[in-house]
């Protein structure tokens, strides 16, 4: 009986640890931002983004904590977490839509070491992956191929 309970608890823990969709990552980042947990916010961003941001802040003479605080404000609306509404995934890139009041915001994520992370500047790569995934139309075929 104890062995079954232990096995069930272990399975539940493993399943919860595997949950890592782009919408969950953005939701967690937004909740952390609303709660003021800047370390948790930072953990939701890709390594490349963290390095770029912190380098940029150093060049401007901004403390990392102040930079993360300002960025965290963009993950909330009136101090509350955003309402995550939709996600679209193309390969290793994802777009997540969220509502901030009546405005819609889009966020882009990239899979990094098997986990989704927010990545600033990934919108272009997401659109490229979406275009590559789209079926090719017959109307776009060269005229010589139709003959």
């Amino acid at each position: 009986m104890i062995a079954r309970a232990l096995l069930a608890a272990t399975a539940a823990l493993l399943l919860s640890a595997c949950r890592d969709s782009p919408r969950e990552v953005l939701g967690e980042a937004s909740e952390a931002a609303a709660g003021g947990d800047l370390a948790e916010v930072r953990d939701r961003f890709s390594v490349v983004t963290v390095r770029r941001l912190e380098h940029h802040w150093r060049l401007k003479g901004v403390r990392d904590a102040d930079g993360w605080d300002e960025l965290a404000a963009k993950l909330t609306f009136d101090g509350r977490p955003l309402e995550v509404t939709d996600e679209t995934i193309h390969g290793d890139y994802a777009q997540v839509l969220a509502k901030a009041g009546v405005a819609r915001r889009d966020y882009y994520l990239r899979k990094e070491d098997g986990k989704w992370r927010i990545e600033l500047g990934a919108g272009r790569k997401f659109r490229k992956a979406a275009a590559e995934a789209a079926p090719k139309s017959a109307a776009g075929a060269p005229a010589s191929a139709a003959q």
Side-chain angles (χ1 to χ4, degrees), residues 96-117:
V96 178
L97 302 176
K99 283 177 59 177
V102 295
R104 286 191 162 296
R105 296 180 186 169
D106 55 345
Y107 297 86
Y108 294 93
L109 293 86
R110 180 176 67 90
K111 203 160 230 190
E112 178 181 80
D113 295 331
K115 293 184 178 184
W116 289 104
R117 296 289 176 245

Side-chain angles (χ1 to χ4, degrees), residues 16 49 51 54 59 66 69 87 91 97 110 131 136 138 145:
S16 68
T49 296
R51 286 183 184 155
E54 291 180 351
L59 291 176
D66 293 336
D69 193 44
E87 75 177 20
L97 302 176
R110 180 176 67 90
K136 306 293 182 215

Side-chain angles (χ1 to χ4, degrees), residues 38 42 53-55 57-58 62-69:
L38 298 182
R42 185 182 187 275
L53 287 170
E54 291 180 351
H55 177 73
W57 293 330
R58 273 191 298 281
V62 175
R63 292 181 326 125
D64 287 351
D66 293 336
W68 284 110
D69 193 44

Side-chain angles (χ1 to χ4, degrees), residues 22-45 49 53 67-84 96 98-101 105-109 117-120:
R23 69 183 306 135
E24 289 171 332
V25 170
L26 182 63
E28 291 165 354
S30 184
E31 287 178 24
D37 188 347
L38 298 182
E40 189 69 24
V41 169
R42 185 182 187 275
D43 286 345
R44 298 296 180 241
F45 282 81
T49 296
L53 287 170
W68 284 110
D69 193 44
E70 184 178 328
L71 186 65
K74 295 176 183 181
L75 291 168
T76 62
F77 178 71
D78 285 343
R80 294 184 315 268
L82 300 172
E83 180 187 336
V84 178
V96 178
K99 283 177 59 177
R105 296 180 186 169
D106 55 345
Y107 297 86
Y108 294 93
L109 293 86
R117 296 289 176 245
I118 301 168
E119 182 157 301
L120 301 180

Side-chain angles (χ1 to χ4, degrees), residues 1-16:
M1 184 65 118
I2 293 174
R4 281 189 192 176
L6 185 58
L7 182 60
T10 303
L13 181 63
L14 289 174
L15 287 175
S16 68

